[in-house]
Amino acid sequence: MSLRVHPVLFLSIPRLQRIVSARMRLLVLGSGAGGGVPQWNCRCPNCTQAREERDLPFSKNVFRHTQASIALREAGEPWLLVNASPDLCSQFARQAELAPPEGAMRASPLAAVALTDGQIDHATGLLFLREGTELTLVCTDPVWKSLGSSFPIVSVLRHFLPVNRLSYPAQVGSLLLEALPLRAGPAPYEAPSGESGHVVALRVTGKKSGGCVVYAPGLPEISSELADFVAGSDCLLVDGTFWSEEELAPMSRERRRSILGSHLPISGPGGTLEWLAKLPIPQKLYVHINNTNPILDPGSPPAKEVKEAGVGIAYDGMLLSLYSPHS
């Protein structure tokens, strides 16, 4: 299985119709880390550049990034939302494909919401889905517990609509969802816990298309289990929070310790770029990019280094189509 772009002129009409009907669509709603770019309280160079883009059309934005989230679906099915950021409303408003289905005055384009963790940046957007008629969440046991207690979003939502929960592995329509627990602890506002599953990498496989996507916006380590988990995927979206530890210097010691325990740097020995450059995966992208990260500037040496390694940098509104060439 691999990501393919076929010249339409060389395909028969029946062949082209089969490809279109079998594809999996992946939409990057947001590509920034917590707070997005610009952050409300920051005057770093990237945030300054992002503010200068405020009057430009969305398609012309280079530095502006909302908080990380993606959506996936196969032909004829509703969307699976992966993580619900605080920017959910503006992200949905910008995407025609996420409008309510035709023929209904009020309806949801979503089949379910899958969570890679229960952090504020990835779960707060759930509150904006309260006006639906039903909500299905796919998450691990620790995340489900957190959303019912220390960060009680589910308790609030249940005043407005039924909330159902699925555990991993799960099937949503024709999409199979599998999770790999990562070595990361609970959110800062929770009690310490040795329980596994506070943070996961997510693999989504389409039964119709054969496409396979792995999404890991928080990556604390590269393990043999992770290598097996991403093997054979068509598209891999990986934690690109920061380029090097130098970006963390202005932060408090506690904040630096928290970030280093949850996110690997891109550069240097043992960094994610060294790993990604060797992976035989057709599409490799950085996502969850912090406002301090120099790769946000496409003209910077770090951005060029990423590109030369065969890795892309995700942006808001990025749309990919994946399918098996044998479908």
Side-chain angles (χ1 to χ4, degrees), residues 37 82 84 175 259 272:
V37 189
V82 181
L175 299 177
I259 292 176
T272 55

PDB file of all heavy atoms in Angstrom, residues 37 82 84 175 259 272:
ATOM      1  N   VAL A  37      -0.248  29.553  16.581  1.00  0.00           N
ATOM      2  CA  VAL A  37       0.652  30.631  16.165  1.00  0.00           C
ATOM      3  C   VAL A  37      -0.200  31.681  15.445  1.00  0.00           C
ATOM      4  O   VAL A  37      -0.835  31.353  14.449  1.00  0.00           O
ATOM      5  CB  VAL A  37       1.750  30.121  15.197  1.00  0.00           C
ATOM      6  CG1 VAL A  37       2.800  31.204  14.957  1.00  0.00           C
ATOM      7  CG2 VAL A  37       2.403  28.850  15.720  1.00  0.00           C
ATOM      8  N   VAL A  82      -9.967  13.583  14.847  1.00  0.00           N
ATOM      9  CA  VAL A  82      -8.922  13.115  15.755  1.00  0.00           C
ATOM     10  C   VAL A  82      -8.407  14.317  16.545  1.00  0.00           C
ATOM     11  O   VAL A  82      -7.762  15.197  15.995  1.00  0.00           O
ATOM     12  CB  VAL A  82      -7.774  12.433  14.999  1.00  0.00           C
ATOM     13  CG1 VAL A  82      -6.724  11.930  15.995  1.00  0.00           C
ATOM     14  CG2 VAL A  82      -8.288  11.275  14.156  1.00  0.00           C
ATOM     15  N   ALA A  84      -9.868  17.266  19.457  1.00  0.00           N
ATOM     16  CA  ALA A  84     -10.781  18.407  19.308  1.00  0.00           C
ATOM     17  C   ALA A  84     -10.134  19.610  19.980  1.00  0.00           C
ATOM     18  O   ALA A  84     -10.182  19.756  21.192  1.00  0.00           O
ATOM     19  CB  ALA A  84     -12.133  18.079  19.939  1.00  0.00           C
ATOM     20  N   LEU A 175     -13.519   2.576   9.056  1.00  0.00           N
ATOM     21  CA  LEU A 175     -12.195   2.897   9.578  1.00  0.00           C
ATOM     22  C   LEU A 175     -11.893   2.068  10.823  1.00  0.00           C
ATOM     23  O   LEU A 175     -12.683   2.040  11.776  1.00  0.00           O
ATOM     24  CB  LEU A 175     -12.101   4.380   9.939  1.00  0.00           C
ATOM     25  CG  LEU A 175     -12.318   5.382   8.793  1.00  0.00           C
ATOM     26  CD1 LEU A 175     -12.257   6.808   9.330  1.00  0.00           C
ATOM     27  CD2 LEU A 175     -11.284   5.177   7.693  1.00  0.00           C
ATOM     28  N   ILE A 259       7.949  19.495  28.998  1.00  0.00           N
ATOM     29  CA  ILE A 259       8.009  19.387  27.537  1.00  0.00           C
ATOM     30  C   ILE A 259       8.984  18.293  27.115  1.00  0.00           C
ATOM     31  O   ILE A 259       8.683  17.476  26.242  1.00  0.00           O
ATOM     32  CB  ILE A 259       8.401  20.742  26.914  1.00  0.00           C
ATOM     33  CG1 ILE A 259       7.271  21.753  27.117  1.00  0.00           C
ATOM     34  CG2 ILE A 259       8.722  20.590  25.429  1.00  0.00           C
ATOM     35  CD1 ILE A 259       7.586  23.149  26.626  1.00  0.00           C
ATOM     36  N   THR A 272      13.874  13.222  15.996  1.00  0.00           N
ATOM     37  CA  THR A 272      12.911  12.547  15.114  1.00  0.00           C
ATOM     38  C   THR A 272      13.272  12.653  13.638  1.00  0.00           C
ATOM     39  O   THR A 272      12.911  11.778  12.856  1.00  0.00           O
ATOM     40  CB  THR A 272      11.499  13.107  15.333  1.00  0.00           C
ATOM     41  OG1 THR A 272      11.513  14.528  15.147  1.00  0.00           O
ATOM     42  CG2 THR A 272      11.002  12.781  16.736  1.00  0.00           C
TER      43      THR A 272
END
